[in-house]
Amino acid sequence: MSNRNGSQRRGLAIGCGGTLGAAWIVAALAAARDVLDWDPRTADVMIGTSAGSEMVTMLGSGIGVDELIAMQRGTTENAILAAHMRCAPGRFPPLPRLRPGAPGHTLRAVREGRLTDRQRLLTAGSGLLPVGGGDPGWLQRLADRLNPGGGWVSHPATWLAAMDYATGERVAFGSPTAPEANLGAALRASWAVPGWFPPVPIAGRRFIDGGAASTASVDLLIPERLEEIVVIAPMASTGRLPATSAGHFLERQMRDRMSAQLDDEIARVRATGTKVLRIDASSEDLVVMGPNFMDGRRRLATFEHSLTSTRKALELGEFV
């Protein structure tokens, strides 16, 4: 495949994935840099969801791939990244509050028939989960330390995808049509996993993890009229594994629906003439990752394995 971008307008979409997804994403970014001979920081537009928004926040602030690799390996000399890695969330959520997050949203979505079967478990079901009790302060601190002036990142088109908890609408903070939000609030909103972290109030609305609506929100890039998009999506997969436990079954249900949603979005993007290079988790990746995408005990093994698997996938892939 051709490795050089030349004058092509290229976008970057990075999906959700929790602690293990973040490690896998860094490996995929290293593969994209090397195989495509391309610095992801130079993407014309970058959109991230949840763990992906964490990554585009770093890229958009000027953090390079080598620094992200050192962060994952625990060898970084960047005090901000080192502190960030020490504060990652645990394997399991703290006790949530004893009330559902947005039951009215779920009832409206089902009654109005706005959702396909593949969306219902994720988008509508998120409203029935209890309000998360996790502390997202580690994300706020990252935003504050990377951008001490309180503004947005230095990259002019860095978008963080979240979902309006009342309506299910996806909003890409940082994009021209999004409500104004500071970086910390937008990052916390994009990472607000239902049942794990609380919704984030912005502009009189409540927002949760964009992954509740779409793993990567690639289609939100359509108005940008890009010529190419690199999609990095650890919670989507063309590989399949049998469900051997309750945890694997639940993870598989979520992954299957996210994969199908991503298929649809990429088809819509390609229909506009934009070429897409997609990289997602292989069956071998899933074996290393296990069913709990927040299990930090598997983080380093996931990262090291994915350095090889994502590079192989990119060497075999192409923009279509």
Side-chain angles (χ1 to χ4, degrees), residues 281-314:
S282 68
S283 56
E284 291 82 8
D285 291 333
L286 299 183
V287 170
V288 178
M289 295 167 82
N292 181 357
F293 55 84
M294 299 293 278
D295 189 351
R297 300 173 303 176
R298 293 175 176 254
R299 180 189 57 77
L300 188 57
T302 294
F303 171 69
E304 296 293 350
H305 175 270
S306 301
L307 284 172
T308 300
S309 65
T310 57
R311 185 183 183 102
K312 179 180 178 182
L314 272 167

Side-chain angles (χ1 to χ4, degrees), residues 236-300:
S237 183
T238 49
R240 291 292 183 269
L241 285 178
T244 57
S245 67
H248 275 112
F249 176 78
L250 291 173
E251 191 270 349
R252 174 54 61 197
Q253 293 299 305
M254 181 183 298
R255 182 174 293 277
D256 285 350
R257 284 159 175 79
M258 287 185 170
S259 299
Q261 176 75 8
L262 183 60
D263 290 343
D264 290 348
E265 292 177 10
I266 290 177
R268 291 199 296 274
V269 169
R270 285 174 172 156
T272 68
T274 299
K275 294 182 178 180
V276 177
L277 175 58
R278 167 180 173 168
I279 177 171
D280 57 24
S282 68
S283 56
E284 291 82 8
D285 291 333
L286 299 183
V287 170
V288 178
M289 295 167 82
N292 181 357
F293 55 84
M294 299 293 278
D295 189 351
R297 300 173 303 176
R298 293 175 176 254
R299 180 189 57 77
L300 188 57

